[in-house]
Amino acid sequence: MESNLRINLVALKNAPIIAKIAILIYCVASLQFLCLTLGGIFFMIEPIFKPAIPLDAIIWIAAILFAYGGLKLFLAFKLLKRKNWARIGAVIVSALLAAFLIQGAINIAMVTQHAFFDIVKHNYGLVAEIVAASLLLLPQSRGWFASKRTSA
């Protein structure tokens, strides 16, 4: 009898390359989000100048961002286990993040008078989310997630 880890690694090895790339991109984007959240919270708590945000607001923002990052990591690990609901959830989460970040980039471009694409091209998390969601929607990866398992 094989362990679950070995079975999951064998299943991932036999996956289509598009599904592997999508899962890898989503895992890295999730980890990047958590690392940037941690850095952002640190700079909000220890600002260079006078603190402009109350500590209670920083704590609530940190809790929400860490919960969101935890959700993304949870979906990433469930993608590795071939859960179709995780694929749909990851696409929805990526679409919501992309919508909020694009709207934010539009607002920043209007206020600072910079070009929209100059702002977006430096946001690698947004690009990774859109690419991962697009790859997860392709028929090759959809077929791998929806395939029937044979019970032994």
Side-chain angles (χ1 to χ4, degrees), residues 111-151:
V111 169
T112 62
Q113 300 298 317
H114 284 97
F116 171 75
F117 290 110
D118 287 340
I119 295 170
V120 173
K121 79 176 180 183
H122 295 294
N123 193 343
Y124 301 113
L126 171 62
V127 174
E129 291 284 334
I130 292 172
V131 168
S134 301
L135 290 177
L136 286 172
L137 289 175
L138 290 176
Q140 294 89 349
S141 62
R142 184 175 42 219
W144 183 69
F145 282 102
S147 67
K148 304 285 185 211
R149 288 190 182 178
T150 59
S151 59

Side-chain angles (χ1 to χ4, degrees):
M1 184 171 201
E2 295 182 44
S3 69
N4 285 339
L5 180 62
R6 184 172 176 144
I7 292 170
N8 288 339
L9 290 177
V10 169
L12 187 61
K13 184 178 178 184
N14 296 332
I17 191 71
I18 292 176
K20 289 180 189 178
I21 291 171
I23 292 170
L24 177 67
I25 290 172
Y26 195 78
C27 289
V28 170
S30 299
L31 289 173
Q32 178 199 19
F33 180 83
L34 279 176
C35 291
L36 291 176
T37 298
L38 184 63
I41 298 301
F42 174 74
F43 284 114
M44 277 196 278
I45 293 173
E46 294 292 329
I48 296 172
F49 303 107
K50 185 176 99 173
I53 303 174
L55 189 61
D56 290 342
I58 293 173
I59 291 171
W60 278 104
I61 291 169
I64 291 169
L65 289 176
F66 280 120
Y68 180 71
L71 171 68
K72 286 177 59 134
L73 271 181
F74 174 73
L75 288 174
F77 286 120
K78 288 299 180 180
L79 283 174
L80 290 171
K81 293 189 176 196
R82 297 177 70 171
K83 302 291 183 186
N84 194 37
W85 61 265
R87 179 182 68 89
I88 294 167
V91 169
I92 291 170
V93 166
S94 297
L96 288 174
L97 180 67
F100 287 127
L101 289 178
I102 288 172
Q103 180 62 38
I106 290 171
N107 290 340
I108 290 171
M110 288 172 46
V111 169
T112 62
Q113 300 298 317
H114 284 97
F116 171 75
F117 290 110
D118 287 340
I119 295 170
V120 173
K121 79 176 180 183
H122 295 294
N123 193 343
Y124 301 113
L126 171 62
V127 174
E129 291 284 334
I130 292 172
V131 168
S134 301
L135 290 177
L136 286 172
L137 289 175
L138 290 176
Q140 294 89 349
S141 62
R142 184 175 42 219
W144 183 69
F145 282 102
S147 67
K148 304 285 185 211
R149 288 190 182 178
T150 59
S151 59

